[in-house]
Amino acid sequence: MNEVLKWVPGTDPKVLARMFKKKLQPDYSRPSHLDIFAQQAVVISQRPTCLFYEVGAVIFYDGSHFLSSGYNGAASGDVNPREAGCARIVHGKIQEGKGLCRGSHAELNAINNLTVSTLGLKNVSIMVTLHPCHSCAKQIVNKGIKKVYYIWEYGREEFVTDYFRERKVEVIKYMSPILEKWIALNGYDPIGATNMQE
């Protein structure tokens, strides 16, 4: 392998001054494909109108080929919770576990947004900002997705990771120094994860 930056000493300083400084640092490293998919999922997670959760998901294969993305939120044409209020708030109190939510989860929307079949594709993966719930886990398994990467935890059902593993789906909590720095720099933090820690 060629020695990195060995060409620099012979290069005109005016030319070097026009280049990206970060790429001339000895410790520079490019974001991995996983870093990029994680960043995409985080950016997409800013799109939902949901007042409780911000979740983004990206489906890809062979480690580098984008297939689709999705975020959580109400169905197309449904009301905006900021205008109409959350459907789970009844008489000022939250009603959980009663099926009142208008939203569809990011993972399901990413699956529904696929424009190609995943049949025959090897190494199909999904990157999600929050660990999938059991309902999404079932659909991920049905779609033949073999790896689930997630960035943050939240108050999920404890058995979901076991459910995945029993079905030969690898589950990986993903964070890298590049991603961590990028998240901190941009101030991203999923509302659900923050609120549940308080």
Side-chain angles (χ1 to χ4, degrees):
M1 187 165 120
N2 292 337
E3 186 183 338
V4 176
L5 299 176
K6 70 177 182 179
W7 53 270
V8 170
T11 305
D12 185 331
K14 290 179 183 175
V15 174
L16 291 174
R18 294 174 53 196
M19 296 179 184
F20 287 104
K21 304 293 180 276
K22 64 183 178 183
K23 293 187 178 181
L24 297 176
Q25 299 300 316
D27 61 347
Y28 171 75
S29 61
R30 294 164 63 197
S32 68
H33 288 292
L34 286 177
D35 287 332
I36 298 299
F37 291 134
Q39 289 172 349
Q40 286 177 325
V42 172
V43 170
I44 291 163
S45 78
Q46 306 305 294
R47 180 94 178 115
T49 56
C50 178
L51 301 172
F52 292 95
Y53 295 100
E54 292 181 330
V55 187
V58 174
I59 298 175
F60 56 99
Y61 75 100
D62 260 357
S64 63
H65 301 286
F66 174 88
L67 290 174
S68 74
S69 64
Y71 56 88
N72 64 306
S76 180
D78 205 336
V79 300
N80 183 331
R82 292 189 66 224
E83 297 167 5
C86 175
R88 297 187 305 155
I89 306 296
V90 180
H91 305 300
K93 304 258 186 218
I94 190 162
Q95 306 294 312
E96 298 189 270
K98 298 187 177 176
L100 299 175
C101 179
R102 297 182 186 99
S104 177
H105 290 192
E107 301 92 323
L108 301 182
N109 287 330
I111 288 169
N112 287 332
N113 289 339
L114 284 165
T115 57
V116 296
S117 172
T118 55
L119 291 174
L121 293 179
K122 294 187 177 185
N123 304 320
V124 178
S125 304
I126 188 168
M127 175 71 72
V128 191
T129 55
L130 294 180
H131 191 294
C133 71
H134 188 227
S135 292
C136 288
K138 290 184 279 187
Q139 298 310 311
I140 288 168
V141 168
N142 281 347
K143 205 63 186 166
I145 294 170
K146 295 300 182 190
K147 281 188 183 176
V148 174
Y149 296 92
Y150 69 98
I151 302 169
W152 290 289
E153 282 285 0
Y154 81 112
R156 63 182 168 88
E157 305 100 327
E158 291 299 321
F159 62 87
V160 177
T161 298
D162 291 336
Y163 173 86
F164 275 130
R165 290 182 177 145
E166 287 164 4
R167 284 146 188 86
K168 308 286 190 270
V169 175
E170 193 174 352
V171 182
I172 303 155
K173 187 173 192 322
Y174 186 76
M175 187 56 69
S176 73
I178 287 174
L179 180 61
E180 192 167 30
K181 183 177 177 182
W182 179 81
I183 287 169
L185 182 68
N186 289 286
Y188 291 124
D189 194 10
I191 288 174
T194 301
N195 289 346
M196 288 187 177
Q197 290 169 3
E198 292 179 354

